[in-house]
Amino acid sequence: MQILMKMALTRTTAAWILALVILQVSGRAVGVKITNLLVPAMALEGDEIRLRCDYEVEGGSSFYSFKWYKDEREFYRHMPSSMQSPEDRCVEDNPVAGVNVDCWVSTEREVVLKDITQRTSGEYKCEVIGEHPKFRKDIKKSRLTVYSEPLQRPLVTGMQDTYTTLEFVNLNCSSMNTEYYPDFSWDINGSPADPSFVQFHDRRTSGLTFQARRDLFQRGVIRVTCQVSLGKHHSDRADVELTNRDYLSAQEYHFNAGERRMPAAGHIVSSLLLPSIYALLFSLV
Ligand SMILES: *[C@@H]1O[C@H](CO)[C@@H](O)[C@H](O)[C@H]1NC(C)=O
């Protein structure tokens, strides 16, 4: 009888332990996780910017609260259980300087800030808290810097008057901005330049080096573009045209041919031959 009692007791203990384990596991299943935080690193005064925070609520249940902070001060709050109107989600009783939320278009994933100024710069934090009973929390932070100087058109230097076929082109593109460093990108004839052609000399200057192959010349010119950009919304560009010397001479020949000027004929022969000789030499090297 006593043995039986003992066995029953151990069984109940085992059941309790099992129940506790299940609780632990399901407790973990109501966790939350921020999967993606998108805060632009740089923006210009007057911009409208989007701060995005994607999260997963494990087990598909609801969450308790979703909040945004700037430098640890809360400015946006969404609590599904409290049936707020979109306007109530903007925390207005204690406004945060430089933070002007467009309450009507902001959602529990994306917050829109209007008319930003340099005071909008700071560290932005997204916080998601899971449901009762665990209230598990996840946070992610990212820094935004707002500049006042408009993006300037870049300057391309190093261009020659003309290029022969297979000659190397060396160009530099420099940012004219003093407050910040924009991103650079190069296009050749409207297509992105091969990354192996691009060098970064310093944060203000990007270089482009490539060989002026015959097929790159279109009607005797290669069109090169340097673009600077800041975030998704600001960009400016400088375009240059690299002229083929032989193409120019050929044009000259056609023009002069009407007058039967013989020296030009010699010129065109050399202009047709030379590139082939270069090509031959190049293939041997
Ligand atoms: C490009 O800039 C770099 C660094 O400032 C310099 O060393 C190089 O000579 C420049 N190249 C041209 C083609 O101007």
Side-chain angles (χ1 to χ4, degrees):
M1 190 63 184
Q2 249 185 352
I3 292 169
L4 227 73
M5 283 277 282
K6 236 183 203 164
M7 269 178 68
L9 212 68
T10 5
R11 253 192 216 157
T12 18
T13 323
W16 266 111
I17 289 169
L18 194 68
L20 273 175
V21 166
I22 289 170
L23 258 177
Q24 281 287 322
V25 169
S26 61
R28 208 169 290 145
V30 293
V32 289
K33 199 173 104 197
I34 295 173
T35 51
N36 189 26
L37 178 72
L38 281 175
V39 172
M42 305 200 286
L44 295 186
E45 283 198 330
D47 282 356
E48 180 180 284
I49 57 163
R50 287 165 187 273
L51 311 177
R52 188 168 178 90
C53 183
D54 287 315
Y55 50 88
E56 274 170 9
V57 182
E58 290 164 42
S61 60
S62 180
F63 58 93
Y64 173 69
S65 70
F66 170 84
K67 292 178 180 180
W68 278 101
Y69 300 79
K70 173 187 184 278
D71 300 323
E72 300 302 327
R73 291 188 57 198
E74 183 187 335
F75 64 87
Y76 190 84
R77 176 193 306 176
H78 179 44
M79 301 175 81
S81 57
S82 66
M83 307 285 284
Q84 301 157 296
S85 73
E87 245 183 351
D88 296 336
R89 296 177 190 168
C90 292
V91 180
E92 274 166 345
D93 43 337
N94 207 354
V96 178
V99 177
N100 185 11
V101 182
D102 188 338
C103 302
W104 284 99
V105 299
S106 296
T107 66
E108 66 268 28
R109 304 250 167 202
E110 197 168 64
V111 165
V112 178
L113 303 187
K114 293 182 295 190
D115 306 323
I116 64 170
T117 68
Q118 282 182 291
R119 299 184 74 185
T120 316
S121 300
E123 189 174 61
Y124 285 82
K125 178 171 91 176
C126 170
E127 176 200 86
V128 184
I129 297 182
E131 255 305 357
H132 171 85
K134 293 265 164 177
F135 297 109
R136 277 177 196 278
K137 178 164 98 172
D138 199 7
I139 59 164
K140 270 199 164 56
K141 298 176 185 180
S142 192
R143 179 160 283 280
L144 162 76
T145 307
V146 181
Y147 298 100
S148 61
E149 182 188 44
L151 186 66
Q152 306 288 322
R153 175 159 303 162
L155 185 71
V156 175
T157 54
M159 225 177 63
Q160 298 173 194
D161 290 340
T162 56
Y163 290 85
T164 53
T165 308
L166 296 183
E167 191 173 2
F168 274 91
V169 175
N170 288 300
L171 300 175
N172 274 345
C173 180
S174 302
S175 162
M176 297 288 107
N177 282 96
T178 54
E179 249 187 52
Y180 51 84
Y181 304 107
D183 291 321
F184 291 94
S185 65
W186 290 95
D187 280 0
I188 300 175
N189 292 329
S191 306
D194 189 307
S196 67
F197 298 169
V198 180
Q199 304 93 43
F200 289 95
H201 295 304
D202 56 65
R203 294 183 70 186
R204 291 205 188 286
T205 310
S206 170
L208 182 75
T209 302
F210 66 98
Q211 201 178 19
R213 294 192 322 262
R214 177 174 289 276
D215 60 293
L216 287 176
F217 287 99
Q218 298 173 352
R219 292 178 179 274
V221 297
I222 304 177
R223 286 174 299 115
V224 174
T225 303
C226 170
Q227 180 166 297
V228 288
S229 57
L230 181 106
K232 279 185 205 155
H233 307 294
H234 303 277
S235 67
D236 205 345
R237 50 191 276 180
D239 300 284
V240 293
E241 287 194 343
L242 312 177
T243 310
N244 190 310
R245 185 180 302 162
D246 304 328
Y247 186 84
L248 275 189
S249 330
Q251 296 279 70
E252 216 167 76
Y253 168 72
H254 289 303
F255 179 72
N256 291 333
E259 299 169 23
R260 296 195 181 278
R261 289 245 301 257
M262 287 318 281
H267 201 151
I268 187 71
V269 169
S270 72
S271 70
L272 287 175
L273 269 179
L274 263 181
S276 342
I277 293 167
Y278 283 148
L280 190 68
L281 280 176
F282 199 76
S283 63
L284 289 177
V285 173

